[in-house]
Amino acid sequence: MTDSLISSAYSQALEVIASVEPRIAEATRQELADQRASLKLIASENYASPAVLMTMGTWFSDKYAEGTVGHRFYAGCQNVDTVESLAAEHARELFGAEYAYVQPHSGIDANLTAYWSILAHRVEGPWLTDAGVKNMNDLSEADWEKLRGALGNQRLLGMSLDAGGHLTHGFRPNISGKMFHQNQYGTDPETGLLDYDALLRKAREFKPLILVAGYSAYPRRVNFAKMREIADEVGATLMVDMAHFAGLVAGKVFTGEEDPVPYAHVVTSTSHKSLRGPRGGFILATEEYAPSVDRGCPMVLGGPLSHVMAAKAVAFAEARTPEFQGYAQKVADNAQSLAEGFLTRGAKLVTGGTDNHIVLLDVSSFGLTGRQAESALLDAGVVTNRNSVPSDPNGAWYTSGIRFGTPALTTRGFGREEFDTVAELVVDVLSNTEAGTNKAGAPSKATYVLGDGVADRITKQSAEMLDKHPLYPGLNLS
Ligand SMILES: *Cc1c(COP(=O)(O)O)cnc(C)c1O
């Protein structure tokens, strides 16, 4: 597609928006300018293609389509059927999955849908059969009571938040930590790596119905064959949440035992992180679990976002190209370069490195909390987020870590050299930041003092790199 076509399409769209609410058009322009000018290292963010973004802005947004393809609770869904079928077909072929469900609106929706699907399949099904109940409508009130008891007494084992897990993996304040009896596995205190033997021991003791694998902040690959062995040994369903690393699976960087799809019963994901699609979620499953996942609506979800399903189809189509595989490999190579850049400058990394798209820097050696480091970096135009490190002495709010990810800047064309410079700039900022004090003069975990002139110097250096690798090159708004 030509640059001028994209430029005029967006310029005209903004004019239409401005005719109704100019402040929204202005904020939209400003967001592009801000994204172009910032060194975005947030590991969960990316830049979707103009084709993906444009697909979201259509009248598919207006259509209700509760139900499944060919079986809708609304009339006139023939085009939504086309869209959903294509998105699911691309997802199945991209990931080599038996079944794909593309309706979840987000990663959290995908997980909630998966949990209820697994419960429906594992608990509701056999329980009903054992009780000789053929139809839910035949259940007496007493049976319902028993069913509720059975559903509500199940166990979930997931990776702990401070080891890199996600809040939907059984974290107490999340509904997943309330609907299940939950337990967590962590990482080895010495190496920071997943300890499969310790996990097996915990699984044997706890006997979960669901074993959840996957992470948001663990900088290493996971062996899903081992995970499946552990799940099988204790009779658990293996659910893998690949929200963060779906792009590395799609791009064939994670293959063999590092590819969750052949090993998991159910795989959940987002489409907007390393996979570089629209903001949304999806689920892959084996034939065995497909019928219960297919009931995501009405079990958990309402009307699907048809315009986003359309954009998922476009993004999955993009991810099936050799170009995307090249991109995914660069994401991993660049993370290596970023990690090496930190290590050669004496910084400390959780697990001592990375082999995915995440680098987790332990900022305690700079005498800073994650909160102080995050704010100082932001002052210098470096956008990251603070993150707990294993057994974090500063807790989940202040933290001791900064999480970096390579997917977004790799989309802009950054390579190994630029990522080495990124490490240099980050170490420069943090070496020139001191922990601050509160109003009473006592040490504070939030305030900090950034050396004079540092922010300007770093901003200038990163602007040079950003100018060389423009975001949406050729997109000029009139
Ligand atoms: C980001 C993430 C989610 C949640 O995705 P949302 O679309 O923000 O709801 C779920 N699980 C993991 C592992 C994630 O990293």
Side-chain angles (χ1 to χ4, degrees):
M1 220 191 311
T2 66
D3 292 344
S4 66
L5 210 57
I6 296 169
S7 297
S8 69
Y10 275 113
S11 298
Q12 289 171 27
L14 285 167
E15 232 173 275
V16 174
I17 296 165
S19 72
V20 179
E21 175 46 290
R23 288 170 296 183
I24 292 297
E26 190 43 42
T28 308
R29 285 173 184 273
Q30 191 57 45
E31 179 61 20
L32 177 62
D34 290 354
Q35 293 212 17
R36 280 178 159 166
S38 71
L39 204 60
K40 182 155 92 173
L41 289 153
I42 292 178
S44 48
E45 293 190 4
N46 211 329
Y47 305 105
S49 71
V52 167
L53 296 180
M54 283 180 177
T55 307
M56 280 189 282
T58 79
W59 27 92
F60 268 122
S61 172
D62 299 333
K63 190 73 197 94
Y64 247 111
E66 278 173 72
T68 49
V69 174
H71 184 78
R72 305 283 187 188
F73 293 89
Y74 288 82
C77 293
Q78 60 282 1
N79 299 310
V80 180
D81 281 356
T82 302
V83 158
E84 184 171 352
S85 305
L86 266 174
E89 180 187 311
H90 276 309
R92 284 194 308 272
E93 291 181 10
L94 174 62
F95 292 105
E98 290 174 8
Y99 165 81
Y101 187 64
V102 296
Q103 292 193 18
H105 306 167
S106 67
I108 280 199
D109 271 13
N111 285 350
L112 204 53
T113 304
Y115 288 146
W116 281 108
S117 303
I118 296 167
L119 282 172
H121 182 70
R122 291 286 308 273
V123 182
E124 190 181 306
W127 188 87
L128 290 175
T129 320
D130 293 351
V133 179
K134 285 200 189 67
N135 188 318
M136 296 284 271
N137 295 329
D138 298 340
L139 286 177
S140 69
E141 252 321 298
D143 287 336
W144 270 114
E145 194 57 41
K146 266 200 264 175
L147 179 57
R148 274 193 289 268
L151 284 173
N153 255 324
Q154 300 302 326
R155 298 171 199 215
L156 178 94
L157 179 59
M159 194 176 201
S160 70
L161 205 60
D162 74 346
H166 190 259
L167 78 161
T168 53
H169 299 177
F171 186 48
R172 272 275 174 225
N174 182 261
I175 191 168
S176 59
K178 303 197 192 297
M179 65 189 269
F180 293 107
H181 297 290
Q182 59 84 33
N183 204 328
Q184 314 265 288
Y185 58 89
T187 45
D188 181 89
E190 295 295 316
T191 62
L193 298 172
L194 251 178
D195 179 345
Y196 296 95
D197 294 331
L199 169 54
L200 175 61
R201 285 194 296 277
K202 185 159 254 178
R204 276 186 183 140
E205 234 169 73
F206 186 62
K207 296 194 176 42
L209 178 82
I210 307 176
L211 172 62
V212 184
Y215 53 79
S216 303
Y218 180 65
R220 295 289 175 176
R221 301 184 186 191
V222 173
N223 184 320
F224 295 109
K226 278 191 194 166
M227 284 289 183
R228 176 59 186 261
E229 263 175 46
I230 294 170
D232 282 348
E233 174 155 347
V234 300
T237 296
L238 178 62
M239 174 175 142
V240 176
D241 179 352
M242 64 170 184
H244 244 269
F245 55 88
L248 298 182
V249 179
K252 310 278 182 261
V253 176
F254 292 180
T255 56
E257 299 189 338
E258 293 164 355
D259 176 357
V261 180
Y263 298 101
H265 298 95
V266 178
V267 175
T268 58
S269 188
T270 60
S271 40
H272 52 273
K273 298 184 182 177
S274 55
L275 191 50
R276 211 163 65 178
R279 186 160 295 277
F282 65 98
I283 302 175
L284 308 172
T286 57
E287 291 290 356
E288 183 193 352
Y289 282 82
S292 56
V293 174
D294 219 34
R295 293 196 310 180
C297 167
M299 196 159 43
V300 174
L301 304 168
L305 310 176
S306 305
H307 55 309
V308 181
M309 291 199 295
K312 285 173 195 169
V314 173
F316 294 151
E318 287 177 350
R320 294 181 66 185
T321 60
E323 288 75 25
F324 189 86
Q325 293 190 10
Y327 162 73
Q329 189 56 52
K330 278 188 205 139
V331 165
D333 293 346
N334 286 341
Q336 286 293 325
S337 174
L338 181 64
E340 284 158 20
F342 281 131
L343 293 172
T344 53
R345 291 173 179 88
K348 200 171 127 195
L349 300 180
V350 174
T351 77
T354 178
D355 49 31
N356 57 20
H357 62 297
I358 295 170
V359 174
L360 191 55
L361 178 67
D362 184 336
V363 294
S364 54
S365 59
F366 293 95
L368 301 170
T369 63
R371 172 89 191 266
Q372 291 162 330
E374 176 193 84
S375 304
L377 287 168
L378 190 62
D379 289 349
V382 184
V383 188
T384 63
N385 65 288
R386 66 186 188 277
N387 209 100
S388 308
V389 302
S391 314
D392 201 309
N394 288 318
W397 178 252
Y398 293 110
T399 80
S400 305
I402 293 286
R403 185 183 67 161
F404 297 89
T406 52
L409 290 179
T410 302
T411 296
R412 284 185 77 143
F414 276 47
R416 294 186 66 104
E417 205 178 308
E418 284 87 353
F419 272 98
D420 181 65
T421 307
V422 168
E424 182 191 325
L425 301 187
V426 168
V427 170
D428 191 344
V429 172
L430 300 182
S431 319
N432 286 294
T433 305
E434 281 178 30
T437 52
N438 63 18
K439 283 190 190 111
S444 154
K445 290 184 178 189
T447 61
Y448 60 96
V449 183
L450 180 59
D452 282 343
V454 177
D456 282 348
R457 174 156 52 83
I458 301 298
T459 308
K460 213 174 278 166
Q461 280 175 272
S462 46
E464 271 171 36
M465 285 193 292
L466 292 168
D467 289 348
K468 248 190 250 164
H469 301 285
L471 172 61
Y472 302 124
L475 168 55
N476 297 302
L477 299 179
S478 60

